[in-house]
Amino acid sequence: MLFITNRFPKQSIRSRAGRKFDFDLDNNASSNSIFFCEKTDDQAYREIGSIEFLTRLKLAPQRQLLFYIHGFSNLPEDILRAVEEFQTLCDEKKADEVLVVPLIWPCDNDFGVVKDYWDDQKSADSSAYSFARILEKFVHWRNSEKYNPQADPCLKRINVLAHSMGNRVLRETLAAWNRYDLADGVPLIFRNTFLVAADIVNESLQPGNRGEHICHASRNVIVYYASDDLALRASKASNLRNKIASRRLGHTGPEDMQLAPANVYAVDCDDVNNLYDNPKGHTYFRSGIVAGKPGLVFEHIFEALLSGRVFPDEEFRRTTIIRE
């Protein structure tokens, strides 16, 4: 499995293709460096470098790429197991369609959910600068006649799925990229952006707000939310402790669909989230009631991947409710 990370390795932070890469789990600082790696065995990793990484993505048999940004309080092996589950579900639906690539940012290894949450929020924000460098590297590679010539362009469709606090990472990454590297705004690079159980404020996607770049970068932005997502209660508790009162996008969906850009869609998962992930109701986008069997949220995500449309038969529809 290929992955990208800005977690510090136990080895030197000096990047070197071919070397062993071991995560330093006690260091949750965000590295300014980014490492392009592969998992070679159980808890065994190797750095391969950006050019080989991007070349492998281009040559992979899958038609589409799905970059996965995980939520808070997740360590690397937890993340990779979740991605393996999602990849298996994709392969069983349609072989060689979707390749899932995780972006691993530094969560804390402390005890206590609320303490972890606040530390991880800081790591999510600081990860934006290093992850914006990934987008810059991709654009340079895509425009390189040496690595991606016009006679042999990379035609893969690019999608992103951000879960929980991973939405904050995505939001801040695009904002940092726009501020420091781009002259004419964020380009359209994602076919679908799936915001699942999003731990950002529910007006984030509205023009003039911090998350508006997500809409500029995406053909479709699909928000999956559930009002009884218990894991997001940690977000509420932590933010109230720090005198920040706001409803989360992953609890309510967009605050006002009339104010959200026209490419934003809202999917109410209230009827299924706790059936799929009991009792937290937070990771409801992979397996359904039976482990290893796709849930209806996954089915909805995969259909959007296949078609490039959220509601293929209803052009102007923007909301729905998922029910078993």
Side-chain angles (χ1 to χ4, degrees):
M1 180 190 298
L2 299 173
F3 66 89
I4 306 173
T5 187
N6 67 328
R7 288 200 73 127
F8 278 99
K10 290 182 178 179
Q11 294 80 7
S12 166
I13 63 168
R14 183 178 180 180
S15 184
R16 190 172 71 253
R19 69 168 177 168
K20 183 181 179 183
F21 187 96
D22 295 310
F23 290 101
D24 184 354
L25 299 182
D26 293 325
N27 186 349
N28 76 318
S30 172
S31 169
N32 288 327
S33 299
I34 46 176
F35 305 99
F36 296 82
C37 304
E38 66 173 341
K39 180 178 180 179
T40 58
D41 204 344
D42 184 37
Q43 299 188 43
Y45 319 103
R46 185 172 75 96
E47 185 178 0
I48 63 175
S50 61
I51 297 302
E52 181 178 345
F53 187 95
L54 291 168
T55 301
R56 284 204 203 178
L57 293 185
K58 179 180 178 179
L59 297 177
Q62 288 85 356
R63 192 170 67 104
Q64 302 195 56
L65 305 174
L66 176 65
F67 288 95
Y68 171 70
I69 310 176
H70 61 89
F72 87 102
S73 196
N74 278 267
L75 295 182
E77 276 300 310
D78 302 323
I79 298 156
L80 294 171
R81 278 193 296 271
V83 170
E84 286 170 357
E85 178 189 356
F86 199 94
Q87 182 69 69
T88 299
L89 293 172
C90 290
D91 292 344
E92 290 179 352
K93 288 293 294 183
K94 186 177 181 182
D96 293 341
E97 179 64 28
V98 177
L99 178 63
V100 188
V101 181
L103 275 62
I104 301 176
W105 55 277
C107 293
D108 208 347
N109 199 19
D110 288 340
F111 294 103
V113 172
V114 173
K115 185 180 190 305
D116 266 358
Y117 178 89
W118 195 242
D119 290 341
D120 287 355
Q121 196 174 80
K122 297 173 186 176
S123 292
D125 288 348
S126 57
S127 291
Y129 303 100
S130 49
F131 280 7
R133 291 182 59 214
I134 298 172
L135 296 170
E136 274 296 286
K137 283 181 176 290
F138 166 73
V139 169
H140 286 302
W141 174 84
R142 183 187 63 182
N143 296 334
S144 167
E145 189 64 23
K146 178 179 179 181
Y147 297 113
N148 201 34
Q150 292 184 22
D152 182 27
C154 182
L155 301 177
K156 295 198 186 298
R157 290 164 170 163
I158 303 173
N159 309 273
V160 61
L161 189 156
H163 179 235
S164 190
M165 200 181 287
N167 288 267
R168 188 181 183 106
V169 176
L170 176 62
R171 182 191 70 186
E172 295 305 307
T173 294
L174 292 174
W177 191 34
N178 179 68
R179 178 177 180 181
Y180 294 109
D181 300 302
L182 301 173
D184 301 314
V186 174
L188 177 63
I189 56 175
F190 303 127
R191 192 183 193 213
N192 296 294
T193 295
F194 304 102
L195 308 183
V196 183
D199 191 6
I200 54 178
V201 296
N202 66 354
E203 67 269 21
S204 290
L205 302 177
Q206 295 174 16
N209 285 277
R210 191 74 174 168
E212 69 171 322
H213 302 297
I214 296 174
C215 303
H216 298 163
S218 315
R219 174 180 176 177
N220 304 311
V221 179
I222 308 103
V223 177
Y224 297 89
Y225 66 96
S227 62
D228 57 348
D229 183 334
L230 297 182
L232 284 179
R233 299 269 178 96
S235 166
K236 182 178 179 180
S238 181
N239 282 291
L240 285 175
R241 186 190 74 176
N242 290 278
K243 300 181 180 179
I244 302 170
S246 62
R247 292 182 294 178
R248 317 312 284 171
L249 186 64
H251 264 158
T252 68
E255 183 184 47
D256 187 339
M257 287 295 290
Q258 298 301 315
L259 297 178
N263 65 335
V264 174
Y265 304 84
V267 180
D268 185 343
C269 304
D270 220 42
D271 290 352
V272 300
N273 68 307
N274 285 299
L275 292 176
Y276 297 169
D277 178 25
N278 187 13
K280 293 186 296 182
H282 193 54
T283 57
Y284 50 85
F285 62 99
R286 302 193 301 260
S287 295
I289 296 173
V290 178
K293 299 295 182 182
L296 294 179
V297 180
F298 172 85
E299 296 278 10
H300 192 274
I301 290 171
F302 199 81
E303 181 59 35
L305 287 167
L306 289 177
S307 67
R309 295 176 174 84
V310 183
F311 302 111
D313 301 322
E314 299 178 74
E315 181 180 356
F316 300 106
R317 185 176 182 181
R318 297 179 64 195
T319 65
T320 193
I321 301 170
I322 290 183
R323 296 188 176 96
E324 275 286 349

